[in-house]
């Protein structure tokens, strides 16, 4: 069995017609029909119901179709990743979530550039979920994100569990807790701005999951476009907002940042790479991460 046989079969299923499939594949109809028959003989099963119009798969044919699509998809992804890895000695594309620009990511990228001046670095902003597909398709080579997302094709290295803080107006009643901190159970009746308003899962999903993990239900959680809008609304006295600790350096007026005492209130910072990627840029970027973390006296979540 060859990949082209799977492509023929999948196209016939999706077009529901031998004639239309032949046109799409740019081959004559009789050879396509023979290829399908040969595939059925090789498998020892009927893939299509005889005489049906439009063409319909048998139960076994539908099962085989689902797996054929997966095989073709994985083959295309592997081909794309292999081509990307072979070309990566000249350029490394790094995906990142915007909130990490307030953390240590700029220092890590700068150090990487200094250590490897022969490699061009391209930064691409994209959410953690989008990074997974971008890695699999070869659009990026590394991804710095915040969410707990798993995929068998991707290796996720948790670098740090960054504490969250509560952004409140300096005259808000919660500002009095700036020294002792608050528990999330104390704020469930407040208006809480979450962000971003993008495809789920995102940072807003993480915040909601923390409340759920603690058995809490916020009464009024409002999703806004991005962090600056959320903090601007807080600075206007409209509500409060949970942010990564590093984002408190944004420095918007009239805001204070209150520690959150719940141990569950953290955002994981992780590096994602392709599972089988043995390229040198992976240990090189990890070495830069380790050096920057040591300079800032921040403990790594795991040994690198």
């Amino acid at each position: 069995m060859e990949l082209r046989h799977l492509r023929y079969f999948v196209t016939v299923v999706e077009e529901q017609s031998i004639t239309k499939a032949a046109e799409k594949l740019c081959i004559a109809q009789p050879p396509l029909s023979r290829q399908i028959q040969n595939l059925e003989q090789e498998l020892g099963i009927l893939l299509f119901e005889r005489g049906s119009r439009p063409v319909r798969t048998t139960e076994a044919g539908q099962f085989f179709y689902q797996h054929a699509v997966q095989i073709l998809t994985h083959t295309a992804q592997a081909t794309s990743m292999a081509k990307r890895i072979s070309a990566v000695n000249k350029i490394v594309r790094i995906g990142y979530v915007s909130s990490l620009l307030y953390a240590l990511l700029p220092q890590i990228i700068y150090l990487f550039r200094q250590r490897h001046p022969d490699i061009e670095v391209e930064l691409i902003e994209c959410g953690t979920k989008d990074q997974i597909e971008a890695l699999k398709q070869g659009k990026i080579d590394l991804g710095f994100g915040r969410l707990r997302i798993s995929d068998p094709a991707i290796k996720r290295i948790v670098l740090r569990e960054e504490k969250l803080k509560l952004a409140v107006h300096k005259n808000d009643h919660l500002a009095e807790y700036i020294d002792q901190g608050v528990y999330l159970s104390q704020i469930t009746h407040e208006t809480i701005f979450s962000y971003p308003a993008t495809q789920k899962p995102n940072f807003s999903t993480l915040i909601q999951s923390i409340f759920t993990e603690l058995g809490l239900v916020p009464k009024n959680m409002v999703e806004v476009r991005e962090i600056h809008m959320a903090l601007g609304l807080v600075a206007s006295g409209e509500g409060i907002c949970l942010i990564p600790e590093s984002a408190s350096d944004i420095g918007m007026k009239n805001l204070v940042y209150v520690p959150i005492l719940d141990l569950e209130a953290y955002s994981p910072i992780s590096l994602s790479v392709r599972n089988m990627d043995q390229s040198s840029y992976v240990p090189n970027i990890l070495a830069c991460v380790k050096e920057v973390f040591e300079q800032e006296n921040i403990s790594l979540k795991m040994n690198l």
Side-chain angles (χ1 to χ4, degrees):
M1 187 187 306
E2 301 177 18
L3 286 176
R4 63 187 178 94
H5 296 143
L6 296 181
R7 282 194 292 270
Y8 293 163
F9 168 67
V10 167
T11 304
V12 172
V13 174
E14 294 176 347
E15 294 297 323
Q16 295 184 306
S17 166
I18 292 286
T19 303
K20 292 180 180 179
E23 292 176 355
K24 187 172 183 178
L25 293 166
C26 298
I27 62 176
Q29 181 175 337
L32 176 58
S33 297
R34 285 196 297 272
Q35 292 290 351
I36 296 298
Q37 291 171 0
N38 291 340
L39 181 60
E40 288 182 319
Q41 291 174 1
E42 182 176 351
L43 295 172
I45 59 174
L46 287 178
L47 296 172
F48 296 100
E49 296 179 2
R50 293 297 182 255
S52 62
R53 294 291 185 275
V55 173
R56 291 195 300 268
T57 59
T58 61
E59 183 177 352
Q62 185 61 32
F63 175 84
F64 186 71
Y65 165 74
Q66 294 172 356
H67 286 270
V69 169
Q70 292 180 13
I71 291 170
L72 293 173
T73 300
H74 291 161
T75 301
Q77 290 176 348
T79 302
S80 176
M81 287 192 290
K83 289 179 179 178
R84 180 71 198 111
I85 290 170
S86 68
V88 81
N89 59 334
K90 296 181 181 179
I91 180 171
V92 173
R93 295 186 174 91
I94 301 177
Y96 69 96
V97 294
S98 59
S99 65
L100 290 179
L101 293 178
Y102 306 115
L104 300 179
L105 182 59
Q107 294 168 246
I108 294 168
I109 300 302
Y110 182 80
L111 181 61
F112 182 81
R113 283 184 162 128
Q114 299 306 302
R115 294 281 188 272
H116 307 281
D118 54 322
I119 298 178
E120 180 183 350
V121 176
E122 181 180 343
L123 297 178
I124 301 172
E125 181 183 0
C126 57
T128 310
K129 182 177 183 295
D130 294 332
Q131 288 177 20
I132 301 301
E133 288 306 313
L135 282 165
K136 290 160 68 173
Q137 295 172 14
K139 294 180 179 179
I140 63 173
D141 306 298
L142 302 163
F144 286 89
R146 285 192 177 274
L147 302 183
R148 307 179 183 99
I149 297 179
S150 61
D151 187 287
I154 303 300
K155 180 181 180 181
R156 179 172 167 268
I157 305 168
V158 179
L159 304 175
R160 181 189 178 195
E161 293 178 347
E162 184 180 8
K163 293 181 179 179
L164 300 181
K165 282 197 169 184
L166 187 67
V168 303
H169 191 279
K170 65 181 182 180
N171 294 328
D172 190 283
H173 71 99
L174 290 167
E176 65 183 76
Y177 295 96
I178 191 167
D179 292 325
Q180 65 265 45
V182 297
Y183 287 97
L184 293 181
S185 59
Q186 296 174 242
I187 66 170
T188 54
H189 287 81
E190 304 285 339
T191 297
I192 304 173
F193 294 107
S194 64
Y195 62 89
T198 57
Q199 182 182 9
K200 303 292 190 298
N202 54 25
F203 188 73
S204 178
T205 312
L206 172 67
I207 298 301
Q208 184 63 63
S209 69
I210 293 172
F211 279 101
T212 301
E213 187 175 350
L214 292 169
L216 303 173
V217 181
K219 305 304 180 187
N220 188 22
M221 184 171 283
V222 181
E223 191 174 275
V224 297
R225 189 171 66 249
E226 42 87 25
I227 186 172
H228 289 88
M229 179 176 290
L231 291 179
L233 290 168
V234 175
S236 301
E238 295 290 323
I240 60 178
C241 179
L242 281 75
I243 64 168
E245 187 175 38
S246 56
S248 59
D249 291 335
I250 293 176
M252 195 170 290
K253 289 183 178 180
N254 297 324
L255 294 183
V256 295
Y257 301 95
V258 179
I260 299 174
L261 301 175
D262 301 275
L263 297 178
E264 296 84 353
Y266 69 87
S267 170
I269 297 177
S270 60
L271 172 65
S272 296
V273 299
R274 288 179 283 265
N275 214 359
M276 303 300 291
D277 195 341
Q278 302 297 317
S279 302
S280 61
Y281 61 78
V282 177
N284 289 342
I285 197 74
L286 287 173
C288 292
V289 169
K290 184 177 181 180
E291 184 171 340
V292 169
F293 273 46
E294 288 176 349
Q295 290 172 356
E296 297 295 327
N297 197 28
I298 295 175
S299 299
L300 280 163
K301 177 66 176 174
M302 61 186 302
N303 295 323
L304 302 181

